[in-house]
Amino acid sequence: MSHNSFGHLFRVTTWGESHGPALGCVVDGCPPGIALTPADIQAFLDKRRPGQGKFVTQRQEPDEVRILSGVFEDEATGGPVTTGTPISLMIENVDQRSRDYSEIAHTFRPGHADFAYLSKYGVRDYRGGGRSSARETAARVAAGAVARKVLGEGIVIRAALVQIGPIPIDRSRWDWDETLNNGFWSPDAGIVPAWEAHLETVRKAGSSTGAIIEVEATGVPAGWGAPIYGKLDAEIAAALMSINAAKGVEIGEGFAAAALSGEDNADEMRMGNDGPTFLSNHAGGVLGGISTSQPIVARVAFKPTSSILTPRRSVDDTGADIEMRTKGRHDPCVGIRAAPVVEAMLACVLADAMLRHRGQTGERGPVWTIGSNPIHAR
Amino acid sequence: MSHNSFGHLFRVTTWGESHGPALGCVVDGCPPGIALTPADIQAFLDKRRPGQGKFVTQRQEPDEVRILSGVFEDEATGGPVTTGTPISLMIENVDQRSRDYSEIAHTFRPGHADFAYLSKYGVRDYRGGGRSSARETAARVAAGAVARKVLGEGIVIRAALVQIGPIPIDRSRWDWDETLNNGFWSPDAGIVPAWEAHLETVRKAGSSTGAIIEVEATGVPAGWGAPIYGKLDAEIAAALMSINAAKGVEIGEGFAAAALSGEDNADEMRMGNDGPTFLSNHAGGVLGGISTSQPIVARVAFKPTSSILTPRRSVDDTGADIEMRTKGRHDPCVGIRAAPVVEAMLACVLADAMLRHRGQTGERGPVWTIGSNPIHAR
Amino acid sequence: MSHNSFGHLFRVTTWGESHGPALGCVVDGCPPGIALTPADIQAFLDKRRPGQGKFVTQRQEPDEVRILSGVFEDEATGGPVTTGTPISLMIENVDQRSRDYSEIAHTFRPGHADFAYLSKYGVRDYRGGGRSSARETAARVAAGAVARKVLGEGIVIRAALVQIGPIPIDRSRWDWDETLNNGFWSPDAGIVPAWEAHLETVRKAGSSTGAIIEVEATGVPAGWGAPIYGKLDAEIAAALMSINAAKGVEIGEGFAAAALSGEDNADEMRMGNDGPTFLSNHAGGVLGGISTSQPIVARVAFKPTSSILTPRRSVDDTGADIEMRTKGRHDPCVGIRAAPVVEAMLACVLADAMLRHRGQTGERGPVWTIGSNPIHAR
Amino acid sequence: MSHNSFGHLFRVTTWGESHGPALGCVVDGCPPGIALTPADIQAFLDKRRPGQGKFVTQRQEPDEVRILSGVFEDEATGGPVTTGTPISLMIENVDQRSRDYSEIAHTFRPGHADFAYLSKYGVRDYRGGGRSSARETAARVAAGAVARKVLGEGIVIRAALVQIGPIPIDRSRWDWDETLNNGFWSPDAGIVPAWEAHLETVRKAGSSTGAIIEVEATGVPAGWGAPIYGKLDAEIAAALMSINAAKGVEIGEGFAAAALSGEDNADEMRMGNDGPTFLSNHAGGVLGGISTSQPIVARVAFKPTSSILTPRRSVDDTGADIEMRTKGRHDPCVGIRAAPVVEAMLACVLADAMLRHRGQTGERGPVWTIGSNPIHAR
């Protein structure tokens, strides 16, 4: 990860400000010959799009993606496939509502990056938060759609909201299908009324609330990732922590592991038909920084939206102490729309890990034996 | 972070297995002219060294560091200073207790990286865990000692254990000085008896337990870090998650932020004598991925030691189901010795951020104004 | 350099195919606060543009650049300045002449990348050479214009054609001003008639010819670059060799140095008013991979255009042996238009070296003394 | 390439000064399961070793390599194989002849990096040139031996001296076997007497002379390398230019290509039994930055040794103008010993290209067809 790029072989660079003419990304190192249409990407952008519910911002952005390079008609199918050259994706900003920025141009919104950006750069694009706006995550989602194509259909990546504010889901009711039904990415239909009530309270109070998202990738073979600083969980941690408003990341049991005993935390093994199998997944699918073939499970915590209507103390650029409220269109809970972003970041990390693994160890990975049976990691 | 290296301008590469002849690191990109002696590094290695208490492994390693390159006598002082070329540090493995590895050579220890490494590489150095051993962290600590020299004395980095197993400290009794007194890096002297009792129980039961470490860096100026994938908190997350047994990382309020309201979480500001000041530090010193001049605060959760005496189910490489206990010298709580490692990783991340920041923006960073007063970010 | 990116702190990623909708680049890591308008970039694109002479391709591309991100109005001046965030530059392809590609779609043009791309990727965008087209260099020139802004006016970078085909210039007539007058970037006005005659012969014969370009950067302070693999001359070599059709790169005396004696090649020194000065510049401004404050001098050789009207033997994708001529709009000498590209690549390498140097050693670099006078490298 | 590392997946970091206790390298990303003994590496170090002839330095260094990590006994063969973890190689400096450095400690040797290092770092290890000494190339040779193992026996890399001073070989007498016979790496036995006479003259005059080395890699399949900034020839150029005293690099026809016509330079193709074949190799095995399956051919020019006995003008650190001769053990022609280094650098670049290629495109690369025959790039 460096400035505005991440990944090593599957490498994503994003650019663009909230209220500039456009935003986008360049996906470099994508394998060739993969069918890719704008619709493949648009499907995921549509999931992330604002303007889709009562508790999300009303900014109307079609978020229509254009593929500017890196695909070409395949001789065999006639459809567009990746060529192995950089894929440039662009989304134009349409709804740059004309407004008066004079207030935020001269103040530091508490909890926002205004002061930090000015401290770093001495100048900042204050319109809609500029580069620090969550609009940048549209580019991540677009890149993630390409990453999913690289990973193929055998690897399924899906995210769920498991907590809004202080209200967690009831895990005994977990149903992945439900995440696509309720507008909250909740795997627990039963919790939705409580969340709605909480959000309504928050909204009326001019306040905001946080959330926790859980993401899972199934179908990842054993062997992806690398010691020591290229650990798969370290790369996941960086990728998820880089999302706007993220404040914590955990893998498997995560922080709860600290309170467990060694017996309870270690995942026991038994011999299965296709090699060793695990009897539990406290590790979240990663041991020693390398995937184990179990589902990869991670969680990320989002802080409450910093833009709130409740007046807060701050200063302006004359040095005066002020009270300020952040007007405008803001989600009371940024976590709600973050699920597609979390999925996308995990997809990108895994696509890169896949390419790096086969780079170092070859297409099928090493061959070793259990008894007399050869085991292919992939 | 890539494989066995991390950092961009201040770049650390580590190497070595638990039971090989030596381990070490190469620190590349260190600024020149910094006084550096083996003693500067040894001081931190001694803090990390095993064999120092009842609840840590009895392996006797002097962990004596040699500086093989990158320093030279300074004309002015006569003492050794960094020359700007790569600093190669080596620690010989002395106590490679001769033993019979036939058991672990053919089994997969639950919770260990044995299966993952074999899946990835088809071969593994099983002696003491090979590359996945916590001995690798000695190299991190050595690199961290160099990083502290780069940062200078104005930046203070210190870690504390805030939880062992299910027992957290009482934060009202926090005393940094105490962390150096009690052998547990605890800032709360009062909790020590409870921890000792818990560890004694764990040890007798042939079990193990986890821990949570908190680390703080004070004196970091505003402006370090970078959007979007080079966020300071994303780099901290990767660095801490890359430590052996780490399963979760959080910044500032971390996971607790999910349950807070926007008013409670945002750090308000008031004008101080030297520029804006913050009235709280829920953000943990980072906003938008960039430091704010507040203390950087992070926590990392460690799982319980995987090597336990309690029999666990596993398989061996003939495909037979087995029960196994992990004999040998093992800490019941790996977290206890991780504090110097956590400090070292944060030091390395900050040294790299410092160099990158001045690379992009110049020595003093940009100049901007509050009213008519010029503000230097650094 | 990796795939489609180069640079470390000042990092350029380019994208786009010859006949796709657009091409462009993302410049990441640019220092903030630098005045930058589209006109600053357009000036250099206009120099590179085809359609400007009898011996260059007649493709009519306005090559109009748009700045999509990374600049914002400066409070003080009202003009746009860089914000430190990624600068996305886009140039739309306008003159994608509709034509029949069926011939080149199924053949491998000798000297072209057709076979190599297909071997690597199994698919290729054959329209106008796709990604391997010299049109990609427009993005380099755009990035180079930003790099010049970073370097400031004290560093002057300029290129000259010193040979076309077998005809070198007469160096005794060298006049930098002349390079902007004659349409050939020749510093020797006297050679132009001979070059014109040669090119006319070549053109009539349906042939093509090569060229050598020399580039110079003055004003570079001592100390930029780094040992061992980050040597300034190694980075220049990679940057120049990456330009389409480049086959050789040399620094200072270059290949001629092999035939010199040690006395003749070493640049002697004498004390000047501002520190040591050199009495000659056989080294081309770089010793040990680090700049010496002398002008940086490099040369790059370009092969003759591969697209020629003379029939050449090849094969098609049915496996048949064929004779083929490459029709279409092609420069008989690609080197003629490469001068702005060579300048741009050197500018980008130097901007990156500047930022990395001050990252490692601070704004002014180290201070050392000659006698009692402190010397600042910068 | 960055500071002291190069390569992306197969990544080499070197460290060490000429007169420090040791030098070495860390090879990260090596594929697992490759047989590797110290003898495999020593064989190449012995080829490079000084003290082997009349015209090379008499410094007596055994250059004995130790493998400190990254290999382990293979179950099947009992011999050591790579484990996929970093391979740390160390060579102790034995013959650090005790001498008086007071002269060079305070002067700037013309043609040396003394002034450049001091300008960059403000401090320098002047003993034997410190980091800028050609002793560093021993670490490159060690890494190159590992790279050859990665590439396998199907890829043969060999270098030859083709010019010493102004005296080129007669290419009509080229015999690769001869390069191992005559102590000069000359493929032309007939030129040796002339070179010996030239070197004797140079030596007696207290002078030095340059050289040109040609290197070839056969067996490289089509498809390695990458557009645009990851071009195989760009990476070769950087790798070779990074060698001490290198001043020029060319691929295939190189600078001579500038004077060729398009017909003469383009390599025609005809259908062979296993796919398209080329009728010539002006391109040097690389088109569009990607290998074509033809031999890769590059040349690198070395300047004459800067350390000469003939007095040269310089300055000292009091600011006085001086005359200086460089006493001590110095080769009159550094190029003579550079052949193993040139081979090693090419081996490392190719090993990295191989891993990156299969990372992006899979083990066998893409499959495409000529007529109805599927073509595998590898």
Side-chain angles (χ1 to χ4, degrees):
Chain A
M1 317 251 299
S2 69
H3 291 198
N4 296 280
S5 300
F6 70 104
H8 297 80
L9 291 190
F10 183 88
R11 188 164 176 86
V12 177
T13 301
T14 72
W15 55 269
E17 275 79 35
S18 174
H19 285 55
L23 59 87
C25 65
V26 182
V27 178
D28 198 8
C30 185
I34 297 176
L36 183 70
T37 65
D40 290 327
I41 300 167
Q42 197 64 50
F44 291 96
L45 284 170
D46 289 348
K47 287 190 181 179
R48 178 203 159 276
R49 207 171 65 213
Q52 304 214 87
K54 187 172 174 185
F55 300 114
V56 294
T57 172
Q58 297 307 303
R59 179 168 172 173
Q60 295 298 336
E61 286 287 358
D63 278 353
E64 206 172 303
V65 69
R66 290 181 65 198
I67 303 181
L68 296 177
S69 66
V71 298
F72 192 63
E73 302 302 316
D74 182 48
E75 287 254 313
T77 67
V81 295
T82 58
T83 60
T85 59
I87 301 166
S88 176
L89 304 175
M90 184 173 72
I91 298 162
E92 289 183 68
N93 288 325
V94 173
D95 182 20
Q96 307 156 45
R97 190 176 293 191
S98 169
R99 50 168 290 200
D100 178 10
Y101 289 107
S102 55
E103 191 179 6
I104 62 169
H106 299 288
T107 57
F108 305 112
R109 293 169 297 162
H112 274 279
D114 302 340
F115 176 74
Y117 268 64
L118 195 57
S119 295
K120 182 171 195 72
Y121 298 122
V123 57
R124 66 189 169 102
D125 180 345
Y126 43 74
R127 301 167 305 162
R131 183 72 181 143
S132 71
S133 164
R135 253 196 89 54
E136 184 270 343
T137 61
R140 300 175 187 235
V141 170
V146 181
R148 284 177 193 264
K149 284 282 192 166
V150 172
L151 292 167
E153 298 191 355
I155 293 178
V156 176
I157 298 170
R158 46 193 182 179
L161 249 75
V162 297
Q163 183 174 322
I164 290 183
I167 309 169
I169 60 162
D170 177 344
R171 286 179 168 264
S172 69
R173 297 186 297 219
W174 192 293
D175 175 4
W176 274 113
D177 292 340
E178 182 56 35
T179 55
L180 304 177
N181 288 339
N182 53 51
F184 287 104
W185 303 91
S186 175
D188 168 15
I191 203 70
V192 171
W195 284 359
E196 287 180 327
H198 173 64
L199 286 166
E200 190 60 26
T201 305
V202 161
R203 197 179 61 78
K204 282 187 182 156
S207 181
S208 62
T209 193
I212 299 177
I213 287 178
E214 182 166 315
V215 65
E216 176 192 276
T218 56
V220 175
W224 291 9
I228 296 290
Y229 308 112
K231 281 181 172 165
L232 189 57
D233 38 0
E235 303 223 328
I236 292 170
L240 299 187
M241 193 68 99
S242 79
I243 301 172
N244 303 46
K247 298 304 285 186
V249 179
E250 56 184 13
I251 309 288
E253 288 289 343
F255 276 86
L260 290 180
S261 71
E263 309 85 276
D264 288 345
N265 184 65
D267 301 311
E268 295 181 291
M269 302 172 82
R270 274 292 174 253
M271 197 61 197
N273 291 331
D274 301 321
T277 57
F278 292 89
L279 307 183
S280 57
N281 188 17
H282 300 287
V286 184
L287 285 172
I290 296 170
S291 63
T292 62
S293 79
Q294 295 230 84
I296 310 249
V297 180
R299 272 174 302 283
V300 51
F302 292 93
K303 68 178 183 182
T305 315
S306 299
S307 298
I308 51 177
L309 289 167
T310 307
R312 297 276 84 192
R313 289 174 287 179
S314 187
V315 301
D316 66 21
D317 64 8
T318 67
D321 288 343
I322 59 171
E323 302 272 302
M324 72 180 298
R325 309 163 57 218
T326 309
K327 283 164 279 188
R329 304 159 296 179
H330 301 290
D331 293 356
C333 176
V334 288
I336 296 176
R337 286 206 290 125
V341 183
V342 169
E343 290 179 355
M345 291 308 286
L346 184 55
C348 290
V349 168
L350 290 175
D352 189 46
M354 177 184 120
L355 301 191
R356 287 157 76 190
H357 179 60
R358 79 181 181 193
Q360 185 177 13
T361 67
E363 182 70 49
R364 296 179 309 173
V367 181
W368 44 285
T369 52
I370 292 277
S372 58
N373 302 314
I375 301 288
H376 296 277
R378 351 177 329 144
Chain B
M1 315 250 301
S2 69
H3 292 199
N4 296 279
S5 299
F6 70 103
H8 297 80
L9 289 191
F10 183 88
R11 187 164 176 87
V12 176
T13 300
T14 72
W15 55 269
E17 275 79 36
S18 174
H19 285 56
L23 60 86
C25 64
V26 182
V27 178
D28 198 7
C30 184
I34 296 176
L36 182 71
T37 66
D40 290 327
I41 301 168
Q42 198 64 50
F44 290 96
L45 284 169
D46 289 348
K47 286 190 182 179
R48 178 204 158 275
R49 207 172 67 212
Q52 305 216 87
K54 190 174 175 182
F55 300 114
V56 294
T57 173
Q58 296 307 304
R59 178 169 172 172
Q60 295 298 335
E61 287 287 358
D63 278 353
E64 205 171 300
V65 69
R66 289 181 64 199
I67 303 180
L68 296 177
S69 67
V71 298
F72 192 65
E73 303 302 316
D74 183 49
E75 287 254 314
T77 68
V81 295
T82 59
T83 60
T85 60
I87 301 167
S88 177
L89 304 175
M90 183 173 72
I91 298 163
E92 290 184 67
N93 288 325
V94 173
D95 183 20
Q96 306 155 45
R97 189 177 294 192
S98 168
R99 52 166 291 199
D100 177 11
Y101 288 107
S102 55
E103 191 179 4
I104 62 167
H106 299 287
T107 57
F108 304 112
R109 292 169 297 163
H112 274 279
D114 302 341
F115 176 74
Y117 267 64
L118 195 58
S119 296
K120 183 170 195 72
Y121 298 122
V123 57
R124 67 190 167 102
D125 180 347
Y126 42 74
R127 299 167 306 162
R131 183 71 179 144
S132 72
S133 164
R135 255 196 88 54
E136 184 270 342
T137 60
R140 301 175 187 235
V141 170
V146 181
R148 284 177 193 265
K149 284 282 194 166
V150 173
L151 293 167
E153 299 192 354
I155 292 179
V156 176
I157 298 170
R158 47 193 181 178
L161 250 75
V162 297
Q163 184 174 321
I164 289 183
I167 309 169
I169 60 160
D170 177 344
R171 285 178 169 266
S172 70
R173 295 186 298 220
W174 192 294
D175 175 4
W176 274 113
D177 292 341
E178 182 57 34
T179 57
L180 302 176
N181 288 339
N182 52 51
F184 289 102
W185 303 90
S186 175
D188 168 15
I191 203 70
V192 171
W195 283 359
E196 286 180 327
H198 172 64
L199 286 166
E200 189 61 23
T201 304
V202 161
R203 197 179 61 77
K204 283 187 180 157
S207 181
S208 63
T209 194
I212 298 177
I213 288 178
E214 182 166 315
V215 65
E216 176 191 276
T218 56
V220 175
W224 292 9
I228 296 287
Y229 308 112
K231 279 179 173 165
L232 189 58
D233 37 1
E235 304 225 325
I236 292 170
L240 299 187
M241 193 68 100
S242 79
I243 301 172
N244 303 48
K247 298 303 286 185
V249 180
E250 58 184 13
I251 308 288
E253 287 289 342
F255 276 86
L260 291 179
S261 71
E263 310 84 278
D264 287 345
N265 185 64
D267 301 312
E268 295 181 291
M269 302 173 82
R270 274 293 176 252
M271 197 60 197
N273 292 330
D274 300 320
T277 59
F278 293 89
L279 307 182
S280 56
N281 188 18
H282 300 285
V286 184
L287 284 171
I290 296 169
S291 63
T292 62
S293 79
Q294 294 230 85
I296 311 251
V297 179
R299 273 174 301 282
V300 51
F302 293 94
K303 68 179 182 181
T305 314
S306 299
S307 298
I308 52 176
L309 289 167
T310 306
R312 297 276 84 193
R313 288 173 288 179
S314 187
V315 301
D316 66 20
D317 65 9
T318 69
D321 286 346
I322 60 170
E323 302 271 301
M324 72 180 300
R325 310 163 56 218
T326 309
K327 284 164 280 189
R329 303 159 296 181
H330 301 289
D331 293 357
C333 177
V334 288
I336 296 175
R337 286 206 289 124
V341 183
V342 170
E343 291 179 354
M345 292 306 287
L346 183 56
C348 290
V349 168
L350 291 175
D352 189 45
M354 176 184 122
L355 301 192
R356 287 157 77 191
H357 179 61
R358 80 180 179 193
Q360 186 177 13
T361 66
E363 182 70 49
R364 294 179 309 173
V367 181
W368 45 285
T369 51
I370 292 277
S372 57
N373 301 315
I375 301 288
H376 296 278
R378 353 181 323 150
Chain C
M1 316 250 301
S2 70
H3 291 200
N4 296 280
S5 299
F6 70 103
H8 296 81
L9 290 191
F10 184 87
R11 187 165 176 86
V12 176
T13 300
T14 73
W15 55 268
E17 275 80 34
S18 174
H19 285 56
L23 60 86
C25 65
V26 182
V27 178
D28 198 8
C30 185
I34 296 175
L36 183 70
T37 66
D40 291 327
I41 301 167
Q42 198 64 48
F44 291 96
L45 285 169
D46 290 348
K47 286 189 182 180
R48 177 203 160 276
R49 206 171 68 212
Q52 305 215 87
K54 188 174 176 183
F55 300 114
V56 295
T57 173
Q58 297 307 305
R59 178 168 173 173
Q60 296 298 335
E61 288 287 0
D63 279 353
E64 205 172 300
V65 69
R66 291 181 63 199
I67 303 180
L68 297 177
S69 66
V71 297
F72 192 64
E73 302 304 315
D74 183 49
E75 288 254 315
T77 67
V81 295
T82 58
T83 60
T85 61
I87 301 167
S88 177
L89 304 175
M90 184 172 71
I91 298 162
E92 290 184 68
N93 287 326
V94 173
D95 182 20
Q96 307 155 48
R97 190 176 294 190
S98 168
R99 52 167 290 199
D100 178 11
Y101 288 107
S102 55
E103 191 179 5
I104 61 168
H106 299 288
T107 57
F108 304 113
R109 293 169 296 163
H112 273 279
D114 301 340
F115 175 73
Y117 268 64
L118 195 58
S119 295
K120 182 171 195 74
Y121 298 122
V123 57
R124 67 189 168 102
D125 181 346
Y126 42 74
R127 300 167 305 163
R131 182 71 179 143
S132 71
S133 165
R135 253 196 91 54
E136 184 271 343
T137 60
R140 301 176 188 234
V141 170
V146 181
R148 283 177 194 265
K149 283 283 194 166
V150 172
L151 292 167
E153 299 192 355
I155 292 179
V156 175
I157 298 170
R158 47 193 182 179
L161 250 75
V162 296
Q163 184 174 321
I164 290 183
I167 310 168
I169 60 161
D170 176 345
R171 286 180 168 265
S172 70
R173 296 187 297 220
W174 192 293
D175 175 3
W176 274 112
D177 292 340
E178 183 56 35
T179 56
L180 303 176
N181 288 340
N182 53 52
F184 289 102
W185 303 90
S186 175
D188 167 14
I191 204 69
V192 170
W195 283 358
E196 287 179 327
H198 173 64
L199 287 165
E200 189 61 24
T201 305
V202 162
R203 197 179 60 78
K204 283 186 180 155
S207 182
S208 63
T209 195
I212 299 177
I213 287 178
E214 182 166 315
V215 64
E216 176 192 276
T218 55
V220 175
W224 291 10
I228 295 289
Y229 308 114
K231 279 180 173 164
L232 189 58
D233 37 1
E235 304 224 324
I236 291 170
L240 299 187
M241 193 68 100
S242 79
I243 301 172
N244 304 46
K247 298 304 285 185
V249 180
E250 57 183 14
I251 308 287
E253 287 289 342
F255 277 85
L260 290 180
S261 70
E263 310 84 277
D264 287 344
N265 186 65
D267 301 312
E268 296 181 290
M269 302 174 82
R270 275 292 174 253
M271 198 60 197
N273 292 331
D274 301 319
T277 58
F278 293 88
L279 307 183
S280 57
N281 188 17
H282 300 285
V286 183
L287 284 172
I290 296 170
S291 63
T292 62
S293 79
Q294 294 229 83
I296 309 249
V297 179
R299 273 173 302 282
V300 53
F302 292 94
K303 67 178 182 183
T305 315
S306 300
S307 299
I308 52 177
L309 289 168
T310 306
R312 297 277 84 194
R313 289 174 288 178
S314 187
V315 301
D316 67 19
D317 64 8
T318 69
D321 286 346
I322 60 170
E323 301 272 303
M324 73 180 299
R325 309 163 57 219
T326 309
K327 283 164 280 189
R329 304 160 294 181
H330 302 289
D331 293 357
C333 176
V334 287
I336 296 176
R337 286 206 287 124
V341 183
V342 169
E343 290 179 354
M345 292 307 287
L346 184 56
C348 289
V349 167
L350 290 176
D352 189 46
M354 176 184 123
L355 302 191
R356 288 156 77 191
H357 179 60
R358 78 180 180 193
Q360 184 176 13
T361 67
E363 183 69 50
R364 295 179 309 172
V367 181
W368 44 285
T369 52
I370 293 274
S372 57
N373 302 314
I375 301 288
H376 297 277
R378 350 178 329 142
Chain D
M1 317 252 299
S2 69
H3 291 198
N4 297 279
S5 300
F6 70 103
H8 297 80
L9 290 191
F10 183 88
R11 188 165 175 86
V12 176
T13 300
T14 72
W15 55 269
E17 274 80 33
S18 174
H19 285 57
L23 60 87
C25 65
V26 182
V27 178
D28 198 8
C30 185
I34 297 176
L36 183 70
T37 66
D40 290 328
I41 300 167
Q42 197 64 49
F44 291 96
L45 284 170
D46 290 349
K47 286 188 181 180
R48 179 204 159 274
R49 207 170 68 212
Q52 305 214 89
K54 189 172 173 184
F55 300 115
V56 295
T57 172
Q58 296 307 304
R59 178 169 171 172
Q60 295 298 334
E61 286 287 357
D63 277 353
E64 207 172 300
V65 69
R66 291 181 65 198
I67 303 180
L68 297 176
S69 67
V71 298
F72 192 64
E73 303 302 314
D74 182 48
E75 287 254 315
T77 66
V81 295
T82 58
T83 60
T85 59
I87 301 167
S88 177
L89 304 175
M90 184 172 71
I91 298 162
E92 290 183 69
N93 288 326
V94 173
D95 182 20
Q96 306 155 45
R97 191 176 291 190
S98 168
R99 51 167 289 198
D100 177 10
Y101 288 107
S102 55
E103 190 180 4
I104 61 168
H106 299 288
T107 57
F108 304 113
R109 292 170 298 163
H112 274 278
D114 302 340
F115 176 74
Y117 268 63
L118 194 59
S119 295
K120 183 170 194 72
Y121 298 122
V123 57
R124 67 188 168 104
D125 180 346
Y126 42 73
R127 300 167 306 161
R131 183 71 180 144
S132 72
S133 165
R135 253 196 90 56
E136 184 270 342
T137 61
R140 301 176 187 235
V141 169
V146 181
R148 283 177 193 265
K149 284 281 194 167
V150 172
L151 292 167
E153 298 191 356
I155 293 178
V156 176
I157 298 169
R158 48 194 183 179
L161 249 76
V162 296
Q163 184 175 321
I164 290 183
I167 310 169
I169 60 161
D170 177 344
R171 285 180 168 264
S172 69
R173 296 186 298 219
W174 192 292
D175 174 4
W176 274 113
D177 292 340
E178 183 56 35
T179 55
L180 304 176
N181 289 339
N182 53 50
F184 288 103
W185 303 92
S186 175
D188 168 14
I191 203 70
V192 170
W195 284 0
E196 287 180 327
H198 173 64
L199 287 165
E200 189 61 24
T201 305
V202 161
R203 197 179 61 76
K204 283 186 182 158
S207 182
S208 63
T209 193
I212 298 177
I213 287 177
E214 181 166 317
V215 66
E216 176 193 277
T218 56
V220 175
W224 292 8
I228 297 290
Y229 308 112
K231 280 181 171 164
L232 189 57
D233 38 358
E235 303 223 327
I236 291 170
L240 299 187
M241 194 68 99
S242 78
I243 301 172
N244 303 46
K247 297 305 285 185
V249 180
E250 57 183 13
I251 309 287
E253 287 290 343
F255 276 85
L260 290 180
S261 71
E263 310 84 277
D264 289 344
N265 185 65
D267 302 311
E268 295 181 290
M269 302 173 81
R270 273 294 174 252
M271 196 62 195
N273 292 330
D274 301 321
T277 58
F278 293 89
L279 307 183
S280 57
N281 188 18
H282 300 286
V286 184
L287 285 172
I290 295 170
S291 62
T292 62
S293 78
Q294 295 230 85
I296 310 247
V297 179
R299 273 174 301 284
V300 51
F302 293 93
K303 68 178 183 183
T305 314
S306 300
S307 298
I308 52 176
L309 289 167
T310 306
R312 297 275 85 191
R313 288 174 287 178
S314 187
V315 302
D316 66 19
D317 64 9
T318 68
D321 288 344
I322 60 171
E323 301 272 301
M324 73 180 299
R325 310 164 55 218
T326 310
K327 283 163 279 187
R329 303 160 297 180
H330 301 288
D331 293 357
C333 176
V334 288
I336 297 176
R337 287 207 287 124
V341 183
V342 169
E343 291 179 354
M345 291 308 286
L346 184 55
C348 290
V349 167
L350 290 175
D352 189 47
M354 177 184 121
L355 301 191
R356 287 157 76 190
H357 178 60
R358 78 180 182 194
Q360 186 177 13
T361 67
E363 181 70 49
R364 293 179 309 173
V367 181
W368 44 285
T369 53
I370 293 278
S372 58
N373 301 314
I375 301 287
H376 296 277
R378 354 179 324 147

